[in-house]
Amino acid sequence: MATSLKAMGACIGLPATFSVLRHFYGFWEGQLPTVTGGATELSLTRQFELLKGPHIHLDVIHVGNIDADDDATIDAAVHVCRTVYGTVDLGVGRIRHFAIPVADANGMDVIDSATEKNDLLGAWTATEPGIDVFMVRDITYDSVIGSAGYIPGDCGDEPASDEDGVIVDVNRAAAGVARTFTHEVGHFLGLSHTCGETSGTPPCASPCQTDNLMTQTGCVPAGTTALNLTASQGTTMRCHFMVQPGC
C-alpha cells in the first residue's frame, strides 16, 4: 500500500508533481473551503486511511458559464462530500474538473426537463473511473435542484449511458449546493430517500430519518443540516461498481 504522499498521489492518478490542496484534495481555488458540514481542518493521516480503503473518484463537469463564485461553491461541495462519506469509511480521492463551454452545451447549461437531463448525461462522460457530476446553471422543472441518473438496485449494477452521472444546480447558497451534491452522488451509489418516494409533499412523519443525508429537502427541519449516514448506508455505497480498491 502507498506509504508516502507521492505514492498515494500516483495511486489515485495524479502527476508526479502536484499541489496538495488543488490536486490531492481537489480544491479548484487552492484553499480549504469554509462551509457547514465540511471539516474545519484537513488531516492527511485521515485521508490516507480512507484512500487505503474503498474510495471513489469524482469528475466535476462545469456546464456553461461557471464563474469564480461558482468555483468556490463547487469546492465547498467537494469538501462536504468527502467529510460526510468519510463518516462511513468511504474515501473521496481524485477530483478532476472539466468544462463544457456555452457554445457546446446546446442549451443544456439550463436543464428544462428530465429528458434534457438524460440528454446531458448521455452526451458527455469523462474518461477513467470517476463519477460524472454535472454542475449546471439552473434546473427549471418540477422544483428539482439536483438529480441522479439512476439508483442501482444491486452491487455491480451499471447505468445506461443516459443515466451515467448526476446533475446539480450550482446557482444557490454553497451549503445547499453541497448537500445536494453529496445527496445526489449518494443516490448514484445506491441510496434511496429516507422518507419515501412519493411525488409532491413527502410523507415526513416518524419514523422518517429527518437528520439523514438522504432525507428529501422538503422533510429536513428548518435550521438543521441533515448530513448523517448510517452504517448500513455505508455498506451499500461501498459495494458500488465505481468504488475503487484501497491504495
Side-chain angles (χ1 to χ4, degrees):
M1 285 193 171
T3 57
S4 68
L5 183 59
K6 184 175 181 179
M8 188 63 77
C11 180
I12 64 173
L14 300 184
T17 301
F18 59 84
S19 160
V20 171
L21 287 173
R22 272 186 170 271
H23 303 116
F24 190 69
Y25 281 100
F27 299 140
W28 184 257
E29 295 204 318
Q31 60 186 8
L32 174 65
T34 300
V35 59
T36 301
T40 57
E41 59 183 24
L42 298 176
S43 167
L44 280 174
T45 299
R46 178 57 177 155
Q47 181 67 349
F48 266 52
E49 290 174 349
L50 290 168
L51 294 180
K52 287 180 178 180
H55 59 277
I56 58 171
H57 300 313
L58 299 175
D59 290 324
V60 180
I61 303 170
H62 308 229
V63 185
N65 290 324
I66 302 291
D67 61 23
D69 289 340
D70 296 329
D71 289 337
T73 297
I74 293 169
D75 280 354
V78 167
H79 187 41
V80 170
C81 188
R82 178 178 285 117
T83 301
V84 171
Y85 288 4
T87 65
V88 290
D89 296 324
L90 178 64
V92 175
R94 173 187 44 71
I95 311 293
R96 296 191 302 171
H97 294 266
F98 300 87
I100 301 172
V102 171
D104 296 330
N106 296 324
M108 289 185 284
D109 54 329
V110 176
I111 301 298
D112 299 320
S113 66
T115 297
E116 191 170 42
K117 175 196 80 172
N118 291 337
D119 289 344
L120 176 63
L121 297 181
W124 287 282
T125 188
T127 58
E128 300 181 14
I131 297 172
D132 294 336
V133 184
F134 293 86
M135 307 302 294
V136 300
R137 187 162 57 85
D138 198 7
I139 304 173
T140 62
Y141 72 97
D142 295 341
S143 300
V144 171
I145 54 178
S147 182
Y150 89 134
I151 303 175
D154 296 298
C155 289
D157 283 358
E158 297 190 26
S161 62
D162 63 351
E163 299 175 325
D164 190 8
V166 307
I167 63 168
V168 177
D169 178 354
V170 74
N171 191 27
R172 297 176 292 119
V177 173
R179 184 179 187 275
T180 301
F181 182 108
T182 308
H183 175 103
E184 296 303 336
V185 175
H187 278 316
F188 191 80
L189 292 171
L191 302 185
S192 298
H193 284 144
T194 65
C195 296
E197 300 296 337
T198 60
S199 60
T201 302
C204 303
S206 178
C208 172
Q209 302 173 39
T210 57
D211 65 344
N212 193 274
L213 172 67
M214 301 313 296
T215 303
Q216 297 95 310
T217 300
C219 290
V220 176
T224 61
T225 57
L227 291 170
N228 295 321
L229 287 171
T230 66
S232 176
Q233 287 173 315
T235 298
T236 297
M237 297 164 77
R238 291 192 301 272
C239 81
H240 194 272
F241 83 98
M242 290 294 285
V243 173
Q244 306 300 307
C247 286

